[in-house]
Amino acid sequence: MPAFIGQRDFHKWHLEGKRVKVSYLNEYEAVGTVVDSRVCYGGMVKHQVKLDKPIKLSFNTSDGPYRDTVNILEHYDPEENELMEIL
């Protein structure tokens, strides 16, 4: 699995209920709880993370600049991995 700090359960891709530290868009570091984990086409895993504190993006979208829930990708390439640590 990708390079990160922390422990996994029996199902290596399943992190629901785990607290994690993430790098959203490889720019915004945040901490939150995984509410959903799904295997994507190609073997990557997408985690939906409910953040402890909302983050403000440096750009505005139709949803506004704040995010309290983000989707991150867990990738085998450490350069592309947005999962930093399982707390």
Side-chain angles (χ1 to χ4, degrees):
M1 291 307 291
F4 66 91
I5 303 168
Q7 295 295 321
R8 292 183 179 265
D9 293 331
F10 176 73
H11 298 290
K12 301 295 184 204
W13 60 271
H14 187 269
L15 296 181
E16 291 176 17
K18 297 263 188 185
R19 289 187 40 77
V20 294
K21 182 177 179 183
V22 301
S23 175
Y24 180 60
L25 299 176
N26 291 320
E27 184 176 343
Y28 306 94
E29 287 190 16
V31 175
T33 303
V34 176
V35 294
D36 190 38
S37 294
R38 294 286 180 250
V39 176
C40 299
Y41 183 76
M44 290 186 297
V45 179
K46 180 175 81 172
H47 303 288
Q48 183 180 19
V49 180
K50 174 74 172 150
L51 302 177
D52 293 347
K53 293 186 336 186
I55 56 174
K56 183 178 180 183
L57 306 178
S58 61
F59 55 91
N60 200 356
T61 66
S62 60
D63 296 330
Y66 291 94
R67 297 291 182 271
D68 60 357
T69 303
V70 296
N71 289 312
I72 62 147
L73 287 177
E74 183 178 354
H75 196 279
Y76 285 100
D77 180 358
E79 297 286 323
E80 296 183 36
N81 194 6
E82 296 177 323
L83 176 64
M84 298 172 63
E85 184 175 353
I86 299 173
L87 306 172

